[in-house]
Amino acid sequence: MNKPIISFEFFPPQTPEGTEKLTATRRLLATLKPEFFSVTFGAGGSTQDRTLETIRKIHAEGYQAAPHLSCVGSTRENIRALLHTYKDMGIKRIVALRGDLPSGMGSIGEFQYANELVSFIRAETGEHFHIEVAAYPEFHPQANSARDDMLNFKRKMHAGANSAITQYFYNADAYFRFVEETRKLGVTAPIVPGIMPIARYSQLARFSDTCGAEIPRWMRKTLEGYGDDVESVQRFGCDVVTQLCEKLNAGGAPGLHFYTLNQANASLEILKQLGYHA
Ligand code: FAD
């Protein structure tokens, strides 16, 4: 079986030590020849300079770098300037998002939803960028209904996105169902599963509560049972996530996008089990 393409996501580091650590992480992950490295963007522009700086470094090292760009709390002028900066640098891929404005932080800005950002990128820069958008196999927490969320996803794809990356999930059926249902609505572009390796349970539980990704009860109970035994958490996490990736690969997923949290080991271990080698 052909191995799906892989990609890795980072957040922009805040300190010189974080930057050094991310460089080391990137070197390790680069040995697996990913399609691209992406870098998140704090909604409201809170990480704008650090995202740009991290993208600049990755690009200068010769790897394909994909900045995330979230539009909430921003203006057309600001987004236009950023797009042209990236275009002039030779960046070819963008992950276009709405983002979530932290409570108490300013107004919603000039874009309300990601589909408006996608249309704006196409209007400003034509076909220059490969545009990725977000997809939610277990549905976005603010969606009125599953169907509305899929129709909104379709609107975003039809605004000019080339492919999608999903929120992470641990239930492969949710992904396959989402792909099938959105295909019926006319979405033909690749929908790449987002994979969250499990390194620490408390952190994962916190993230999952906010973004609406479900940790199945049998996994929660097992992970809770390990308490502070980090080694057991990681061993179990590696097994479960490797099996999830195997199912996704066998079912025809077009790629795997890893949420690395700037750590190499958990993703490397899973990919090694899947037969990816340097
Ligand atoms: P949208 O597609 O705009 O959807 C948001 C909600 O609005 C959904 O409930 C949808 O159903 C509804 N909706 C959409 N369009 C319409 C419409 N036209 N009319 C009415 N309702 C509508 N966040 C960051 O801040 N920075 C990042 O770097 C980042 N990276 C991410 C990467 C991936 C792969 C994923 C999956 C998420 C990422 N996020 C990031 C989180 C994301 O910003 C949040 O989940 C956010 O709440 C929604 O963003 P979106 O682009 O999916 O929004």
Side-chain angles (χ1 to χ4, degrees):
M1 188 174 26
N2 275 343
K3 292 209 178 63
I5 57 154
I6 50 173
S7 51
F8 297 107
E9 180 171 314
F10 303 131
F11 59 84
Q14 259 175 317
T15 59
E17 297 75 45
T19 303
E20 218 170 279
K21 180 162 179 277
L22 180 56
T23 306
T25 293
R26 201 157 59 236
R27 292 218 171 104
L28 284 169
L29 295 174
T31 59
L32 299 181
K33 307 219 167 8
E35 181 87 351
F36 63 91
F37 292 119
S38 80
V39 181
T40 61
F41 182 92
S46 54
T47 70
Q48 184 167 308
D49 294 345
R50 285 188 282 123
T51 299
L52 179 59
E53 204 38 50
T54 310
I55 286 290
R56 220 187 273 287
K57 282 209 175 83
I58 298 174
H59 184 65
E61 287 167 2
Y63 306 122
Q64 193 180 156
H68 293 211
L69 183 54
S70 76
C71 59
V72 74
S74 193
T75 61
R76 284 187 172 68
E77 205 36 59
N78 186 45
I79 300 277
R80 182 181 292 119
L82 253 179
L83 288 173
H84 287 287
T85 303
Y86 285 133
K87 188 171 174 215
D88 294 346
M89 278 167 64
I91 299 299
K92 297 284 221 172
R93 187 185 286 256
I94 274 191
V95 185
L97 305 141
R98 182 196 70 177
D100 295 301
L101 209 54
S103 57
M105 192 178 151
S107 74
I108 201 153
E110 293 180 6
F111 298 89
Q112 221 182 337
Y113 296 110
N115 66 294
E116 297 162 29
L117 175 62
V118 174
S119 301
F120 184 75
I121 299 174
R122 284 287 172 244
E124 277 295 313
T125 58
E127 294 302 312
H128 176 82
F129 291 108
H130 177 111
I131 304 178
E132 306 266 6
V133 290
Y136 301 86
E138 294 177 324
F139 307 111
H140 186 265
Q142 290 157 8
N144 288 335
S145 68
R147 184 159 174 86
D148 272 5
D149 207 30
M150 288 191 285
L151 289 171
N152 289 330
F153 174 65
K154 172 187 170 179
R155 181 181 297 118
K156 185 160 66 171
M157 295 306 299
H158 286 191
N162 300 95
S163 47
I165 301 172
T166 75
Q167 184 58 275
Y168 67 88
F169 56 86
Y170 295 104
N171 177 356
D173 290 341
Y175 167 79
F176 289 123
R177 177 97 189 157
F178 182 84
V179 172
E180 193 182 313
E181 291 299 311
T182 54
R183 293 279 178 259
K184 284 185 204 156
L185 293 174
V187 174
T188 53
I191 301 174
V192 173
I195 304 297
M196 179 70 92
I198 300 172
R200 270 189 298 151
Y201 175 61
S202 55
Q203 186 187 35
L204 179 71
R206 222 176 28 250
F207 276 160
S208 303
D209 284 348
T210 339
C211 69
E214 189 175 75
I215 309 175
R217 181 182 160 83
W218 67 274
M219 282 179 62
R220 269 196 291 124
K221 286 283 170 201
T222 310
L223 286 161
E224 279 164 12
Y226 290 135
D228 293 333
D229 178 358
V230 177
E231 210 175 292
S232 295
V233 168
Q234 292 178 354
R235 195 171 329 109
F236 172 78
C238 182
D239 282 353
V240 168
V241 178
T242 302
Q243 281 163 19
L244 171 69
C245 293
E246 280 167 349
K247 259 193 212 161
L248 294 168
N249 290 353
L256 298 170
H257 177 80
F258 284 81
Y259 294 106
T260 69
L261 305 179
N262 293 7
Q263 312 280 335
N265 285 349
S267 303
L268 279 176
E269 196 50 46
I270 294 163
L271 285 160
K272 199 167 90 189
Q273 304 285 335
L274 291 172
Y276 287 77
H277 295 291

